[in-house]
Each structure stands twice: as structure tokens, then as C-alpha cells.
Amino acid sequence: MTSASAASAGSAAALANGPDPELLWRLYRLMLYVRLVEEKIVALYPEQQMRCPVHLSIGQEAPAAGVAAALRPGDQAMSGHRSHGHYLAMDADLDGMFAEIYGKAPGCARGRGGSMHLIDRAKGFLGAVPIVGSTIPIAAGAAFTSKLRGDGKVTVIYLGDGAAETGVFHETLNFAALKKLPLLFVCENNLYSVYSPMEVRQPLGRPIAGIARAHGVATWEGDGNDAVAVWQMASEAVEACRAGHGPAFLELATYRWREHCGPNFDNDIGYRTVEEYETWRARDPLARHKALLQDRLGADDAAFAALEGELQARIDAAVAKAKAAAFPVDTLSPEDCYA
Amino acid sequence: MTSASAASAGSAAALANGPDPELLWRLYRLMLYVRLVEEKIVALYPEQQMRCPVHLSIGQEAPAAGVAAALRPGDQAMSGHRSHGHYLAMDADLDGMFAEIYGKAPGCARGRGGSMHLIDRAKGFLGAVPIVGSTIPIAAGAAFTSKLRGDGKVTVIYLGDGAAETGVFHETLNFAALKKLPLLFVCENNLYSVYSPMEVRQPLGRPIAGIARAHGVATWEGDGNDAVAVWQMASEAVEACRAGHGPAFLELATYRWREHCGPNFDNDIGYRTVEEYETWRARDPLARHKALLQDRLGADDAAFAALEGELQARIDAAVAKAKAAAFPVDTLSPEDCYA
Amino acid sequence: MPDDAHRSAAVSTRRMTFAQGLLEAQAIALEQDPSVYLMGLGAPDPKGIFGTTSGLLQRFGPERVQDMPLSENAMTGVAVGSAITGMRPILTHQRVDFALVAMEQMVNQAAKWFFMFGGQVPVPLTIRMIVGRGWGQGPQHSQSLQAWFAHVPGLKVVMPATPADAKGLLLSAIEDDNPVICLEHRWLYGLADEVPEGPYRVPLGKARLMHGGGGKAEVTLVGLSYMSLEALRAAEILAEQGIEAEVIDLRSVRPLDEATILDSVARTGRLVVADTAHVRFGAGAEVVSLVVEQAFDKLKAAPVRIGLPDFPTPTSKALSDSYYPRAPHLVAAALKLLGRPVDPELFAVPEGRNLDQPDSSFTGPF
Amino acid sequence: MPDDAHRSAAVSTRRMTFAQGLLEAQAIALEQDPSVYLMGLGAPDPKGIFGTTSGLLQRFGPERVQDMPLSENAMTGVAVGSAITGMRPILTHQRVDFALVAMEQMVNQAAKWFFMFGGQVPVPLTIRMIVGRGWGQGPQHSQSLQAWFAHVPGLKVVMPATPADAKGLLLSAIEDDNPVICLEHRWLYGLADEVPEGPYRVPLGKARLMHGGGGKAEVTLVGLSYMSLEALRAAEILAEQGIEAEVIDLRSVRPLDEATILDSVARTGRLVVADTAHVRFGAGAEVVSLVVEQAFDKLKAAPVRIGLPDFPTPTSKALSDSYYPRAPHLVAAALKLLGRPVDPELFAVPEGRNLDQPDSSFTGPF
Ligand SMILES: Cc1ncc(C[n+]2csc(CCOP(=O)(O)OP(=O)(O)O)c2C)c(N)n1
Ligand SMILES: Cc1ncc(C[n+]2csc(CCOP(=O)(O)OP(=O)(O)O)c2C)c(N)n1
Ligand SMILES: [Mg+2]
Ligand SMILES: [Mg+2]
């Protein structure tokens, strides 16, 4: 009952030497991709054709990118309500995502789920659901399968700071540590649960990662707006998971720019200050990483423009497809809920 | 919103100087009382007139005694399935307990609950229920009332090592720490949850108290078979709770002598070794404390015999009353579940 | 209605929404009893649980209007614990789907505490939960679990359908010494109607005859929550076809107002029950069983249940439009009971009307 | 019965208990499919969940027969997660009362996963849970929540009443690609009867006509779980009075075998449904509603429901003796339906019989 399998020599070398140019570009590409997809949602949502809630991760792209870049094919991920970035970074089907948000037949959940129910099993994205905390044990179950089968896969579970208040999070930490599951917890601490700040929900001054540590889980804490740092921590954590050392936990500090649910800004309603928002805005993970590419690799505007153009074209095509696609046919029956 | 009220000078002095003779006798008396009540259940259970489950705490008397001795009138306690000792140490009604176990009308829950549903609000014992973990947040709610009202009460919640695996335990730790509730968690770690040893339930090498610490809760760990040590830890913890420093947590190592549920020994069935049992048997909290009374206070056999005689008489009287009492009349109706 | 204090002529009313009715009930309760406090995810936040708690923080302070950690199970236990020690909490879970993690506290503890400890300790606790469809909310954000709660002795369960009842029932719930589950349909929040000023109570356990009762009615339409409004619309459509219907808004699911239902069926001999939940093993089955058991010989035809089909809620508008029953379904059922033909035109959707919105002012993203 | 493979003459049978039947089903499943594993509090312990898992650890090893932390909610999620990635878990919660903490995973996740992700991912998961009275277990250790589970599309729910069905239904459940809830009444475990050797399946969704069916029957008794045995006893008592009854053991609560029930009621015109749960909003209401909706004109009298009264379970024998319905209650109901007098002697308890034990071999402390 072991899933131990040495991390590839390549990734070990990369870990030692820091990311190579290809990886730096990959991180940027992933973040930009997520950003552009969500900005497209922002642009189109007012048309009222996406008739379901959307939880955007604009400003929080680095965790998805850094973690996904530390995985290898076959690895798996699950998420919650704010899952677009996690899904897209696994290279999951963009057409399926837009079609799902538009409620169309080719949607990744056939229109039955909407934006909060993304899935692409072929790419290892096992699913996301909007009950906060619920995918945490389910991802542990997926890792448990890997442990039982020794298939060498690592499973990532993304969660927020709010999710860290659920009992099932604690129960899963205990079980994952007990069974030494190849499970990587990635906690995106964006300071808010809907409009509720940390201080009305958790005692101040104790990190969420400390709870994982108390369960005997290896932890990393760091800047969730720095894709390279995330990739570095995730690479070490994934290697530990894959080596059979048991679960690992990352707590990443980051910030959501737009409203909890929906396409707009909401700094006006008073649950957070404009100063706080501006501080985090200045830590834009994309701008920062772009500067790195310019400084370190001498990337020029043409390169950025080419990348953006390519991604934008892909996104536009997906939206066009989704808009043109048929709605699912209205012949659902009770049989549709049984395999 | 504060419950702060200084610990009495008396208890502070006792803390500094160690327990006085009166307290030492009180601890012994409480433990012996619990032991004798449960041995009486052992003797009578085979008559099949106690027609409900019983979870005995024989061997685990020190936590109940040491904690109760650290409380003051008005303080409160709650417990779970193994609650006899916790109830009795609060000086809760013995007649009501036996009548309840016999299913009689004067039972502390009117015969509706049985052994797993003890209650005596006049003595601060707010209730025990057998769903593992469930009284943890309820006790926190009682402490929350104290916080809101500033009534200076401390509430104790007893739980087992198994209960520490429930999600609601974690959720309550977080809430209690957040609100700085005057709540004392007393975790009796007796190594087993029914017949399941620690190693199939929790990762080895990490204390349960560590989880409480990670939540920012003050913790004490110690010998749960040493009533004086328990009293010492509990006194410090209760003082901290009462002073408004927030919740406190004791993890006490102890051992259940008899079967999980029922009156018998069960070392024969194979879930634990006779050696392990004998080791813990040798750490009998009563024998140990008796030796202390003999050594330190020169207590003689006559004093012990007198105490035992007095308690036994009280217990026999309670049993006789319970046996003679009427059964509740069978006219319950739907109205009986509404106030 | 004679059983509703607030319908008496003396009291002046204003138009307000269902959400405002709930808000007013809570403000009155907080005002009149210092042991009342309010707790829920986002209760003090700027959106105030769809406006149902707006301004209460400012008015009553942070001890009486509390946010809480995302720990529904423990927080329900905390509410129980504070209720048995003298407080009177109002706990809100923003969706019954989330409260599934808190079933243990509600069902094993809150519901049974008074009984299982021999009738010594009341649990004056109100738990508000949102049920029903929002805006494309799909399988995990739109369940209606009234049948579950109603199956549990020790709980009381109310489902207001109008702004006035929202206020009056919630106030009764808060003042009641037992755990009361208040299930609020998401589509009702924006609905406006007359609401009396000041404190008044709508009694728990009393249904309301919303329409008809003149004696010539041929069918009884019983609605739960939002479906009472669809029943009212159905009665209007039936009236256009010359058929008189009595409409009963159940209001309380536990206790169930047997008399009001049986009286009406005794008059009409025909029953249609419309629920916001799955039909199978739903609350409608209890209403039907009750009527059959107590008034079998009054029935002129087999009662009919209307509710959700036997699969989870799909998100896509294309799938949900036909998923949810509405007035025409009740009309068709009534017509069938009367042996009258059903014109398929009945189901036609008016130009510009989106079936996934209660009205056009209701938009995403919630 | 023709629909049960194991009743065919070719198969040899032995007497074994209900618990042993469950044990055998799990042993067969573990033997035939390496993706099957078993998980539950105490599953590998010396008591083996009342003997239903005894010896499996020794035979299949600690990876296939697992204990677990006291974390029912997470462990249900873990089972779901392993089921959607290729395993076929059998999860046991020793009481449905404990599983209340795991409702979220069962209802929001397991039940809906296949549907809500567009029919792509099956969830082959079996959850065994104990329901019903034990020995003085009282309010929090004896609930029967079949109506809840049956209200949830996406779940299947079975309640075996005999050792042979325990084996055959559990094996079907394990082999099914959907989440199946297997509710096992505590009082059935020690019951012994003929059980066929080897693997066989009792189909999910099929009731069993246990008794009668000759055509002269005047009443249909439908039982759920343990109440099927009381129904059988009731049929015997009725036979002594010259009244023939058909007895249907429902076996599956979801899907519900409408045809078997309707066929019988078409013959008898009278229905008594006996459930192990509270009557109000219980599974019996669905059976009654179904029959009324589909066979109204076949009914000669109003159907009757039998089950627990509308308050929680009291522990004291003095209170529980009258709390639980038994055969005489069914007999009395049938007699009333037939307009026949009921002799109060019917309810007399034989000398030496304790109503809080299924038989004298059943003793505490569990
Ligand atoms: C069990 C449960 N309770 C409440 C909610 C409502 N809800 C949806 S998202 C959310 C906030 C979660 O915060 P966090 O985990 O920090 O994620 P973030 O939104 O910040 O990404 C809440 C309370 C829910 N979906 N599920
Ligand atoms: C939620 C829940 N799950 C399972 C059980 C069954 N059960 C009763 S006591 C017990 C063991 C609890 O162990 P622990 O907390 O260590 O207490 P101990 O019995 O050792 O005193 C279990 C599993 C229960 N009562 N409630
Ligand atoms: Mg957050
Ligand atoms: Mg223990």
C-alpha cells in the first residue's frame, strides 16, 4: 500500500536551480489565460445569458498556475465554488466550461451544473462543487484510491480560508495524515469569506497552516501572488506527497479583486477599504510576473502581444461556440440520476 | 461582553501551596463515590432491570474528581456517553441517576433518556448525550451565554480521544478561541474508541492538545490517573477561563478498565493486551490517592472504612429508592415534546 | 382572516417586501427581549442576508447581531447551548443545502432536548433557512427539505408565503419556546404586499384560507410557500373558466392545520397539493394521507400532488423551465379532477417572460 | 417467489442469521471484485459490527477491511471520492443517528454526483446503516430515517427483513453503480432463516409478496423492514379469525415497487402500511398517496398507516412498550377496515414475554 515513486530528475533539478525560461513562460501563460477568460466573463455577464452565479478569481491566478505547473500528467485536482482558475490551469476543456456557463448541451456538465460544477476528468479535474468544504474529503478519497492502488498520482484540493472553518476540513486532515495520503491541500487565504473578514471568523494571530501542522502534516506558507514562489513550494510539496511522506499543505496569501459572486467591483459597499484593495491591486500577480519575464528573459512587448492574441482568439472561439451551441434537450427523466 | 472575575483568593493560595488536607480528602471522596456507584451498577446489571446501555468510567475517576474540585458553585459541565463520573462529581442527584437507569418516574430525565442522558441543572450539570461530539458546541453555547451575560461562570466539556476526531470539535475550538469563551475542554484520552486503538484513527506522535494549541487555545497535558495533578491543571485552566483569557484545554492520559459498554471485563476478546490492562490497573487512581492520604496525612483504615461505609449507605439507599419507585405512566403524547 | 390578528381593521399597514417583513420581525424581537440575538454567516454584512438583517447591526450592536465562522454544525450547537441557558437565538443558514451539515444538531439535539430530558428544559431557538430556486442555482443550492424537518417530532416548521405572514410567523417563531424552523423561499424575498405596523403574531400551526370559501368551490388547492402564490394564480385562471377554487396557504408544515384542510375538502371533495419540493416522499404525501384517512368518503376523486420531478435540479434555464411546476400545472390538475378538457395553450409562456425569474427585476448573480 | 433467484429449487440453503447473511454478501463481494473495500467504525474489531463483518479482516487483510476515525462526514466523503475514482466502497455507520453528521455528503454529493456532472461519473457506493430500536437505546439511538433518504433522487434505499434478502439485497447494492443506502433494523440481526449458498442477487426496487396472493384476500398489509415480520404475524392472527391477508415486504423504499403494491390492493381493496418510523411525513404516506393516486376506485376503505407516535423514542421499558406498534395493532387496523370488532385481548402480552426484546436471547447492554 504505497504510491511512492521518485519525482522526476528533471523536476528535482528545476527545484534546485529555480525555474527555467520555459517554466517562467508557462506560469505567465497560465495566469494570463485564467485572467482573460474571467475578464471575458466580466464583459459578457451583463448580457444576462450566463444565467448562473459566477465566482471570479481575478487577482488570485498565481496559486492555480504555480500548483498546476508542479504537477505531472495523471495528477488530479478538485475545487469549490471559485474554481475557474483551478480548472483552466489543469488544461481542462475551455469550450466545455463556456458552454456550461451558458447552460448549453456541450457543457462540461451538460448544462446541469453551471459555473459552480466544472469537471474534466480526462485532464484530471475531478470536479468542483459549491458546498464549502465538501470536496475536501472527496479529494482525500481520490488520494485514498491512489494509495490503495499505488498509482503514483498526487491529488490537489483547493480551498479558501473560509473552508478552513469547516469541521470536515479538520476530519480530512486527520484522515490524510493517518493514511499518509498523496494529497496536497492548497489554501488560498484571501482574507474574506463572502463579505466577512477574518476577525469575525477565526482567532487572530494563528495561521491556518498551523492547524495542519498540528495534525502532523508538512506545511508551507507563502506569497500567493508570486507564481514562482507558489511553484517552488508546490514542487517541494508534490514531491513529498509523491514520495509517500503523506499529505502536504500550502497556505497562500492572496486577494480577490472583484465581488464575491458576480462580475462587478464591490469596494463601495463597505466591507473592505479601498486602501486595502489598492495595496493588493499593486501586488497583481500578472504584472509582477510580467516584469520578471522582462527583466530576467528580456521578453518584449511583441512576445506578450502574441501570447495575448493567441489566448484571446482561443477564448473568443470558445465563447462563439458556446453561444452557438444548442441548449440541452428538455427530456430529463428520473433515470438520468442513475448510472 | 466580558465574564472576567478574579479567581477567589483561596483557590489562588491553594494553587501556590498545593492541595490542603481537606481538598485531598475531597478528591478521594469524589473518586471513591464514582467508583462505588459504578461497581454497584456492575453488581446489579445482570439482574436485567437496568434496561439500557451503561458506559462505565471505572479506572478513569481522577479527571471528574480533579476538575470538579477546581470549579465553584454555579459553574457548569456537560458530557457524552461516559458521563456518570462527570455527573456525580458535580454533586448531581444520585437518586435521579439510579432512577433514570432503572427507567423510573423520578429519573433525572423522567425515564425518557436512560443512562446516556443524565442531567441535573440545579447542580450545573447541563446534560449529557450519546452522540459523540455533539455536546461540545452545546457547551460552547452555554459558555457563550456566560460571555454575553458576563455571569462569571466557567463551563466544562468532557470529551474522549475519539470525540477529538469529530469535525464539530475543531469547529468549536475555533469558535471558542475566536470569542474567548470561558470553556474548559477536558479530553480523557483512554487510548480507545470502542475497540479501536489510536493507531487506526489518528496519526501517531501528535498530541490532541497540539490541535487545540494550533487554534490558539491554552493547553495542559498530564496524567489523568493522578487526581492532584488533574486538580492542579484544572485549577490553572479554570482560573484562566474565568479571567477572560479564553478557552483552555486539558489532555489527560487515562484508561478504561471494563468493556466499552456494559458491566464486564473484555480483555479476552483481543482488542487490547492483558499486559496493557495490567499496567494501567497498577496505576489505579484510587489506590494511588489512598497511598497519598496515608503517607501525607497519616489516614488510617478506620477513616477509609468510615468514608466507604457512608458512601455505600447513600448508594444503597438510592438503589433501593430507585427499585421501589414507580415506572413513568404510559400517557406520553405529542405535546410532551413541546414546551 | 379571523385567526390573524393583523387583519383586524384597526391596524394600519404599509407595502413592504417579504424580506422587509422578516427584518421587521427580527427588529421587534431584538427590541422587546434582551435575550434575543441573531447569528448567521453574513448577518451583519452590507447585504444583510438579502436585506433581512440590514441595519440591525447598526441598531443593536455587534453582540446582538453576530457573524459566525463557516461552521454550520457547531454554530447550530452553540445556538442550542445558548438557548438552554437562557438566550433566544435566531440562527440563519443561507441555504438549507448548507444546513445539511447541521442536521445532527437540529434533529438529534434541538428537536429532542425538551422531551428527552423529561420536559425540564425548553429550547427557544429559531433557525431561518432559505429554500427553493434562486438564479440558476442548480442541484446544490435550491433544495426544499420541509418534509425532512416535518418528519421530526419536537420541531415546528413554518413556510411563510406573504410579507405579512413572514413578519407575523417569524415573530411567533422567535417567541415560541421550541425550536422553530423557518423556511424562506428565495423567490419570495422581493415580493411586496401590505404589512401591518407594530408587533403582531401569526399563530404557528394555522393554515390560511387565502381565496374562496364561499361554498360553491369545486376544488381545494393547498400550497406550500411560493407554491401558494402559484395556487392563487391558478384559482384566478380557473375562475376565468367558471370554476371556483379554495386556496389554502399551509404556512405551517408542523404542526399541520388538519381542520382547515379537512373543512375545505369537505366542501369541495377535490384536492390538489402543490409543494416546492420533490413529490416523492414529500410533504404533499402527508397532506394527501391525512385527507384520505380522515375524509375518505368526502373525496370525489383521487387527490393530486404537484411538485418537482424525481431528479435533482438542473441549472440550465433550458432544463429548469420545465422542471418547476407553475399555475398552469395546478389548473390542469384541477380541470382533470373535474373531468374537464385541458387546453394546451394554458402552458404558453407570455412574450418576454423568463421562467427562471419571479419577475424581470430579479437578476443574477445570486 | 419467482423474482428471487435464490428461491429456485436448484440452490441449497442453510439456516443462518440476518447478520450472517450480510456477512456473506460482503465476503462474496470482496472475493469477486478487488475494487470492493469495507470501511466503518469497528469494522475490523472483535465484535465485527454485530457479527456482520466478523472474520473479514483475517480473510481479506487490513486494506480491504478498514477501521476509520470517528469522522462520519469526512469518511462518507472519502468513500464518495474513492467511488468516483474506481473503487467500490462499502461504508458502515453503526446507527443512522450518527450518520446525521454525514447527510451533506450523502445527499448533496453522493446522490447528485452522477446527475449534476452530466451523467459521466457513476458513484458505486454502498452505505450500511442501522436503524430501529436496540435495547433501551432511546431518543438518539433508534431512529428510522428511510423517508428522508427516499425523498432524495439519486439514492437507492433498501430495507431487508429476512436473512436471505439481507444477503441478496446487499450484494445487489454493492454491485449497483449508484449510491445505495442499506438500512438494517437492529432487531433483525439475530433472526435466523434459510439462506441460499453462493452468490445471488435480490433485485433492487422489487417488493416481495411474503404471504397470500391466492385471490381471496381481503386486506393488504405492507411492511417495511422489521414491521414486515409483524405483518406476517398479523396475517397469521387474522387467518385464525378466518380473514385472509396478503403481506408485502417492501424491501426497497426507493425505487418503490408500485406494481406489486397496486396489484395486491386491486385484489383486496384495503391497505395497511406498517413502518418502523414516525407516521407523520413518513414512508407510509408515500405508499398511501401512491395507492390513492393510482387505484382510488379500487379502494373499499381509507388506507391506514401504522408506525411510531409523534414524539421521540423514550428509553424506559415502561414507556417504550406502548410506543412500538406490533402485530396486534395491524390486526386491529385490518379488522376495523373490515368493519369487524376488535377484541381487546388481542393486545395481551404472553407471560414471560418482554416487549423490549425481539426474543429472550437478546439482552443488553447494546
Ligand atoms: C457549507 C456552506 N456554507 C456556506 C456557503 C455559502 N458560501 C459560499 S462561498 C462562501 C465563502 C467561502 O469563503 P472561502 O472559503 O474563503 O472562499 P473564497 O470565496 O474566499 O474564495 C460561503 C460562506 C456554502 N456554499 N457552503
Ligand atoms: C457520531 C457518533 N459516532 C459513533 C458513535 C458510536 N460510539 C459511541 S461511543 C464511541 C467511542 C468514543 O470514543 P471516545 O470519545 O474516546 O470515548 P470513550 O468511549 O473512550 O470514553 C463510539 C464510536 C456515536 N455514539 N456517535
Ligand atoms: Mg476566502
Ligand atoms: Mg476513548
Side-chain angles (χ1 to χ4, degrees), chain B residues 51-55 81 84 96-97 99-105 107-119 128-130 328 332, chain C residues 112-120, chain D residues 135-142 312-317 319-320:
Chain B
R51 300 180 83 81
C52 65
V54 287
H55 297 81
H81 57 288
H84 300 169
M97 171 175 160
E100 189 60 34
I101 299 181
Y102 276 105
K104 298 299 180 75
C108 60
R110 311 289 173 262
R112 298 187 199 161
S115 129
M116 306 192 292
H117 293 273
L118 299 183
I119 187 166
V129 302
L332 289 180
Chain C
K112 298 180 177 44
W113 203 270
F114 180 77
F115 176 88
M116 78 187 167
F117 287 115
Q120 302 170 71
Chain D
W135 201 74
Q137 302 262 322
Q140 296 186 328
H141 276 59
S142 54
T313 306
T315 295
S316 174
K317 181 182 182 323
L319 298 170
S320 72

Side-chain angles (χ1 to χ4, degrees), chain B residues 60 81-82 130-132 160-163 190 192-194 256 260, chain D residues 41 70 72 98 141:
Chain B
Q60 301 188 193
H81 57 288
R82 199 176 307 286
I131 304 293
V132 174
D161 48 291
N190 64 4
Y192 293 89
S193 169
V194 191
R256 148 176 71 73
H260 165 68
Chain D
L41 285 176
L70 211 165
E72 283 90 350
F98 311 158
H141 276 59

Side-chain angles (χ1 to χ4, degrees), chain A residues 302-326:
Chain A
F304 290 115
L307 178 61
E308 182 158 346
E310 178 207 328
L311 294 174
Q312 200 64 70
R314 182 168 158 196
I315 292 164
D316 289 343
V319 169
K321 257 199 200 171
K323 287 194 163 196

Side-chain angles (χ1 to χ4, degrees), chain A residues 15 39 44 73 78 88 209 213 219 228 232 272 276 278 286 302 319 335:
Chain A
L15 266 178
E39 290 290 0
L44 296 174
M78 300 195 81
L88 293 169
R213 263 195 302 281
T219 62
V228 176
Q232 182 84 30
R272 61 188 197 185
E276 182 183 272
E278 291 297 350
L286 267 121
V319 169
E335 271 95 75

Side-chain angles (χ1 to χ4, degrees), chain A residues 3-307:
Chain A
S3 70
S5 87
S8 75
S11 105
L15 266 178
N17 306 328
D20 58 24
E22 195 186 329
L23 181 68
L24 287 177
W25 271 109
R26 183 163 173 224
L27 290 171
Y28 186 71
R29 182 191 185 87
L30 285 173
M31 288 195 289
L32 183 63
Y33 178 45
V34 173
R35 172 77 53 96
L36 293 175
V37 168
E38 294 201 317
E39 290 290 0
K40 180 61 79 180
I41 295 173
V42 167
L44 296 174
Y45 200 81
E47 293 179 358
Q48 298 260 331
Q49 290 175 23
M50 301 176 176
R51 301 181 82 82
C52 64
V54 286
H55 298 81
L56 305 181
S57 60
I58 295 174
Q60 303 188 192
E61 295 87 352
V67 170
L71 300 177
R72 69 184 192 198
D75 285 342
Q76 304 174 140
M78 300 195 81
S79 181
H81 58 287
R82 198 176 308 286
S83 71
H84 301 167
H86 311 142
Y87 172 91
L88 293 169
M90 295 292 283
D91 194 28
D93 184 29
L94 182 66
D95 291 351
M97 173 175 159
F98 270 114
E100 189 61 33
I101 298 180
Y102 277 105
K104 298 298 179 78
C108 60
R110 311 287 172 264
R112 298 188 199 162
S115 130
M116 305 193 291
H117 293 273
L118 300 182
I119 187 167
D120 184 348
R121 294 184 47 109
K123 294 297 168 70
F125 194 81
L126 297 180
V129 303
I131 305 292
V132 174
S134 291
T135 40
I136 303 176
I138 298 178
F144 192 43
T145 296
S146 292
K147 185 85 183 177
L148 291 169
R149 299 214 156 148
D151 65 13
K153 292 180 183 180
V154 169
T155 300
V156 175
I157 176 65
Y158 291 97
L159 61 139
D161 48 291
E165 294 151 18
T166 64
V168 81
F169 166 64
H170 163 91
E171 293 182 343
T172 307
L173 279 173
N174 179 58
F175 181 72
L178 172 70
K179 299 285 184 183
K180 289 193 179 301
L181 299 185
L183 180 64
L184 174 58
F185 296 83
V186 178
C187 179
E188 296 179 41
N189 186 340
N190 65 4
L191 305 179
Y192 293 89
S193 168
V194 190
Y195 311 114
S196 302
M198 269 298 184
E199 61 264 30
V200 302
R201 304 180 285 118
Q202 298 182 27
L204 292 178
R206 65 113 186 85
I208 294 170
I211 297 168
R213 263 195 302 281
H215 281 282
V217 173
T219 62
W220 283 258
E221 289 167 73
D223 184 345
N225 280 14
D226 177 343
V228 176
V230 171
W231 168 83
Q232 182 84 30
M233 292 183 274
S235 298
E236 292 169 18
V238 166
E239 197 165 306
C241 285
R242 211 179 313 272
H245 300 150
F249 189 98
L250 311 190
E251 181 176 350
L252 304 172
T254 186
Y255 200 75
R256 152 176 68 71
W257 290 6
R258 291 179 180 258
E259 59 188 344
H260 165 69
C261 178
N264 302 310
F265 289 104
D266 65 356
N267 299 319
D268 54 311
I269 68 173
Y271 71 103
R272 61 188 197 185
T273 63
V274 173
E275 293 71 51
E276 182 183 272
Y277 167 77
E278 291 297 350
T279 311
W280 282 95
R281 193 74 166 74
R283 297 182 200 152
D284 180 2
L286 267 121
R288 191 158 159 183
H289 199 77
K290 186 172 183 180
L292 185 80
L293 291 178
Q294 288 164 331
D295 294 355
R296 212 155 345 135
L297 308 181
D300 61 11
D301 286 358
F304 290 115
L307 178 61

Side-chain angles (χ1 to χ4, degrees), chain C residues 27-38:
Chain C
I28 292 169
L30 284 162
E31 185 71 56
Q32 74 186 11
D33 182 349
S35 62
V36 171
Y37 74 95
L38 208 141

